[in-house]
Amino acid sequence: MTISLGYQIPNFTYPGGVETLFDTVLAQAREAEGSGFDTVLVMDHFYQLPGIGTPDQPMMEAYSTLAALAASTSTIQLSALVTGNTYRNPALLAKTVSTLDVISHGRAILGIGAGWFELEHEQLGFDFDTFTERFEKLDEALQIIHPMLRDERPEFTGKWYRVHGAMNVPRFRDSIPIMLGGQGERKTFRLAARFADHMNIIAPLEELPRKVQVLRQRAEEIDRDPATLPTSYLVSVALTESQAEADAVLAKLPEERRARAFVGTAEAIAERVANDILGAGVDGVVVNAPVNGHVPGVVTAIGEALAPLVKG
C-alpha cells in the first residue's frame, strides 16, 4: 500500500444544497479516480473545521461516506485523513474498516490519529481528556486494532480499553494497511514506527526535511527499515487562471492557512509540490481543494498535473 497522490474532500458546502450533496462528492471521487489519484480521503469530523468554514456547515460522517464511495467507485483506495481515535471504540473501528474493505474489494486504509477538535468532543459528549491521555488511548487502541486488521484475535486489558479474543470477520484481505497522521516526534512518530504502514506528516513546510529525518530515526530505533514506512503530506490547493485571481483567493484564507495553500495554475501548483514537498524527502502528496474542487474539471486538472511527479 502506498499513497502517492491522494485527494481529500474536506468541504461539503456546495451550490444545490443537500439534495445534490453526495452527487457532488461522488463526482469529485470519480474525477480523482480517472485522473491519476490513487486514494480518496475524507475528514473524520462532525463539525466543519475553523479556517474552512463555521461549525454549523455541512459535515458528512466519514465512514458512511466512504462506504457509499466504495460502492460507487472501482479502483481508488479509500481512507479517512484521519480517524479521530477518541470517537470510536477501537474494536468497533477495526470492524468498520474491515467492512469498508469488503465493500470496496480490498481498497480500505485505516487512517488514524489521537483526535484534537475540542468543540466536537464538548458538544457531542466525547471524552476529550488531556493531551497525554489521548495518546495513551491511541497507543492502546493500536494494540487492539493492529492485530484485528491482521487476522489475529487479540487479548488486551489496558487503562482505557479491553478485548478478549476479539474476532473480526468477514475480511477481504488478511492485512489492512494503517496510516498514522500527526507531527509529534516523541509520541506519534514512535507509534508510526511500531504500527503503521504509512505516515501522513502534519507540520509547517519548512519543518518537513527534519520531520522526515526524525521519522526515519524512529524506525531505525526499533530496527525497522525506514523504506517500509512511506510518507505523505496534506496541502490545500486552489486552481486559478490568473495571478489576480490567485491573490483574491489567498486574501480570503485565514493567515495560518496561507503558508500551506498552493494557489495558481495547475502548472504552478505542480511546481510547488515538486519543490516544497517531494523535494523535502516526502514520498507522496494529498491535496484538498475546498475553494473550487466541486467545480467539474478542477480535480481532473489537478490530478493530471500532479500524477507525473509521483508516478513517473
Side-chain angles (χ1 to χ4, degrees):
M1 185 280 296
T2 189
I3 300 174
S4 296
L5 183 59
Y7 180 69
Q8 186 209 41
I9 304 173
N11 176 35
F12 300 97
T13 302
Y14 308 128
V18 70
E19 291 81 4
T20 58
L21 195 160
F22 181 70
D23 300 319
T24 304
V25 172
L26 176 57
Q28 292 175 75
R30 285 177 168 167
E31 275 198 41
E33 187 172 52
S35 59
F37 289 92
D38 53 51
T39 311
V40 165
L41 311 98
V42 296
M43 299 196 301
D44 184 32
H45 286 290
F46 306 102
Y47 292 175
Q48 184 53 274
L49 299 186
I52 298 178
T54 57
D56 59 338
Q57 289 181 332
M59 179 55 58
M60 301 276 278
E61 193 279 323
Y63 282 96
S64 303
T65 304
L66 290 171
L69 292 176
S72 305
T73 56
S74 57
T75 61
I76 202 154
Q77 298 177 122
L78 299 161
S79 180
L81 185 62
V82 286
T83 310
N85 178 63
T86 47
Y87 299 135
R88 297 171 187 82
N89 170 278
L92 173 62
L93 179 58
K95 184 71 172 180
T96 299
V97 174
S98 297
T99 301
L100 177 63
D101 206 50
V102 171
I103 295 169
S104 65
H105 297 91
R107 293 184 282 131
I109 297 169
L110 170 61
I112 190 167
W116 65 271
F117 194 12
E118 187 171 4
L119 179 66
E120 289 178 333
H121 292 77
E122 176 186 340
Q123 294 196 354
L124 298 175
F126 296 106
D127 292 335
F128 190 62
D129 304 308
T130 66
F131 177 83
T132 297
E133 288 169 337
R134 292 199 302 277
F135 276 92
E136 287 178 355
K137 285 185 171 182
L138 180 59
D139 191 337
E140 288 193 10
L142 287 166
Q143 293 181 64
I144 294 169
I145 294 168
H146 187 274
M148 287 186 69
L149 296 186
R150 281 154 177 78
D151 197 18
E152 300 171 17
R153 296 181 60 180
E155 290 278 350
F156 180 84
T157 300
K159 177 180 177 181
W160 302 101
Y161 307 117
R162 68 185 186 278
V163 293
H164 303 293
M167 294 184 289
N168 187 25
V169 291
R171 290 180 309 277
F172 190 85
R173 293 179 286 178
D174 288 339
S175 179
I176 296 174
I178 295 173
M179 169 180 62
L180 254 66
Q183 64 176 322
E185 298 174 11
R186 290 182 296 176
K187 297 179 183 293
T188 305
F189 284 9
R190 285 194 168 99
L191 288 174
R194 288 167 58 197
F195 295 109
D197 303 284
H198 188 95
M199 180 73 210
N200 182 261
I201 299 174
I202 302 170
L205 281 166
E206 63 271 16
E207 295 184 15
L208 271 181
R210 186 178 61 81
K211 293 289 185 182
V212 169
Q213 184 57 39
V214 173
L215 181 64
R216 290 172 177 165
Q217 291 172 359
R218 296 292 176 259
E220 291 169 349
E221 286 168 2
I222 61 169
D223 295 323
R224 177 176 178 176
D225 181 356
T228 66
L229 184 54
T231 55
S232 59
Y233 184 79
L234 172 66
V235 64
S236 291
V237 304
L239 193 64
T240 63
E241 295 182 357
S242 67
Q243 187 59 50
E245 187 181 353
D247 292 342
V249 170
L250 286 168
K252 294 179 181 178
L253 295 178
E255 186 173 352
E256 65 273 12
R257 286 187 172 265
R258 291 176 193 168
R260 290 180 57 186
F262 295 177
V263 180
T265 64
E267 293 75 17
I269 291 170
E271 183 176 359
R272 287 206 63 187
V273 167
N275 294 334
D276 297 353
I277 299 175
L278 304 179
V282 178
D283 299 300
V285 61
V286 179
V287 301
N288 61 34
V291 174
N292 58 6
H294 63 280
V295 175
V298 167
V299 175
T300 297
I302 295 169
E304 291 176 349
L306 297 184
L309 301 179
V310 295
K311 300 183 179 182

